[in-house]
Amino acid sequence: MPGTGVRTEQKVSAGGWFIKFGGSASVGGDQSSRSMIRIKHILFFGVILFSSCEGLRSKEGKVQALQNQNQLSVANGDTLETGFWTYYGGVDGVSKSGSYTDGYKMGKWVYKMQADSISTTWRVVNEQGVKFNIPEHLKQINKVEPPVLFQADVDDNDENTYLILLRYNLKELKSSVYDYIYQYNESWKSNTEETLRSKEFKKFCFEGIEVFRAKVATERKSKYEATSYIFVVKDYLYDLTYKNAIGKSTAIDLEIFNDVLYSMECENVDLFDYNRKKYLKEENVEFKSNPIN
């Protein structure tokens, strides 16, 4: 978390390296940077099921489950999963089963996709006002410094793959989520460490929160994909990023990453309780080379 003094500049993680963020933005600056970002609405007419490729679940999405096993509890106004649950697959055929305690996955869960099956053990992490699930194959790095709140290596013998959670105080930085998204996109123009192959920015509107998703495919010695979920809770911006090696990870791995996102509780706000796990609207985010007058 930022220090008590006003920080005029911080750095933003973008696929394992950092760009400058904050300092020059104000309310007027926010409008300027936002004017360079165009958001295009997408209307849905089909049914989307638990899509691991696209990641987030739409309101039109359907999850088949064993109703006689699945249980819900209500605590502090939140509807939470409890007991043993089984979900049957969606577009990518990912199914999963395991136990919840007060909305958090606990113990062993089994994920299946066609002939592929992965078993992982979940635990709960509580770091400086943020509570979320983490699976056992993500190995936590204990010594981290702001803006890093949590970092873990993927247990795949590749130093370039990881999960990281960043937090920025937008009020101290006099900045906004649109400044962050804009600078995230701009940073790739000067990146000499990796070759950019593709990038995609979207915004998902959930009940009570907007989540931006940045997906960037790069190549160094191997090909990688970094997926960032960026959202604001109160005055804090959060960036949850997962970087995986293309060809070495499956839809199951991405489903597990999405489960980390859906478990997030920040600043005592449960972002995705049982009734708020499906987004209401998806929008494309497009960038202009020149500001809109």
Side-chain angles (χ1 to χ4, degrees):
M1 182 176 180
T4 56
V6 175
R7 299 285 293 274
T8 59
E9 180 179 288
Q10 288 196 23
K11 294 182 179 180
V12 174
S13 175
W17 56 287
F18 290 85
I19 63 173
K20 295 178 180 179
F21 170 57
S24 61
S26 62
V27 175
D30 177 21
Q31 295 300 320
S32 175
S33 61
R34 183 170 180 172
S35 69
M36 301 180 74
I37 302 175
R38 182 173 64 185
I39 298 177
K40 183 178 180 181
H41 295 259
I42 299 176
L43 299 178
F44 289 91
F45 298 97
V47 176
I48 301 176
L49 308 179
F50 241 106
S51 174
S52 294
C53 268
E54 289 304 315
L56 303 181
R57 308 167 199 163
S58 73
K59 186 177 181 181
E60 290 81 2
K62 185 187 299 180
V63 178
Q64 297 179 353
L66 295 178
Q67 297 298 328
N68 62 336
Q69 291 181 319
N70 299 350
Q71 302 176 45
L72 296 171
S73 62
V74 179
N76 299 321
D78 292 331
T79 303
L80 307 173
E81 301 93 336
T82 189
F84 188 85
W85 281 63
T86 297
Y87 300 90
Y88 288 106
V91 173
D92 296 302
V94 178
S95 300
K96 57 188 177 184
S97 60
S99 294
Y100 285 99
T101 299
D102 296 330
Y104 290 98
K105 290 179 172 62
M106 298 297 290
K108 180 181 177 180
W109 275 69
V110 177
Y111 291 74
K112 296 181 180 180
M113 184 185 68
Q114 298 177 352
D116 192 13
S117 178
I118 293 177
S119 175
T120 192
T121 300
W122 289 90
R123 65 186 180 93
V124 176
V125 172
N126 199 336
E127 294 284 348
Q128 301 180 51
V130 182
K131 190 175 182 181
F132 55 98
N133 268 139
I134 283 293
E136 64 179 352
H137 68 276
L138 295 177
K139 306 301 181 183
Q140 183 174 356
I141 297 174
N142 293 321
K143 294 183 179 180
V144 296
E145 297 180 358
V148 179
L149 199 62
F150 177 89
Q151 186 174 357
D153 284 330
V154 180
D155 190 12
D156 61 357
N157 296 317
D158 188 334
E159 63 180 8
N160 296 306
T161 58
Y162 57 84
L163 180 142
I164 191 169
L165 176 64
L166 308 174
R167 178 168 66 182
Y168 299 91
N169 188 323
L170 294 178
K171 189 174 182 180
E172 288 185 354
L173 293 172
K174 298 180 181 179
S175 197
S176 74
V177 65
Y178 290 97
D179 291 310
Y180 188 92
I181 297 295
Y182 177 74
Q183 292 183 42
Y184 189 111
N185 179 63
E186 287 291 298
S187 68
W188 290 104
K189 297 179 180 180
S190 58
N191 184 3
T192 59
E193 297 182 14
E194 297 180 78
T195 302
L196 178 66
R197 296 305 182 191
S198 66
K199 58 182 178 178
E200 175 192 79
F201 293 81
K202 289 182 178 288
K203 184 174 80 168
F204 298 88
C205 301
F206 290 81
E207 181 182 340
I209 191 170
E210 296 177 343
V211 177
F212 290 84
R213 186 190 67 192
K215 292 179 69 174
V216 178
T218 63
E219 186 170 356
R220 199 177 227 169
K221 294 181 179 180
S222 300
K223 294 181 179 180
Y224 297 95
E225 182 177 72
T227 303
S228 299
Y229 289 126
I230 300 160
F231 52 92
V232 175
V233 181
K234 298 182 180 178
D235 291 326
Y236 291 96
L237 180 147
Y238 291 88
D239 179 341
L240 178 66
T241 294
Y242 172 64
K243 186 176 182 181
N244 60 286
I246 296 175
K248 292 184 180 180
S249 60
T250 67
I252 291 179
D253 296 297
L254 297 178
E255 182 72 19
I256 290 174
F257 171 52
N258 292 328
D259 283 347
V260 175
L261 171 71
Y262 280 120
S263 71
M264 300 283 297
E265 178 181 318
C266 305
E267 316 303 325
N268 295 317
V269 177
D270 185 1
L271 305 181
F272 307 101
D273 78 357
Y274 177 76
N275 293 321
R276 296 195 295 267
K277 280 188 168 69
K278 299 175 183 178
Y279 64 84
L280 307 174
K281 182 171 59 177
E282 175 185 352
E283 303 172 346
N284 281 334
V285 177
E286 300 176 357
F287 298 86
K288 295 285 189 178
S289 58
N290 295 308
I292 301 173
N293 295 325

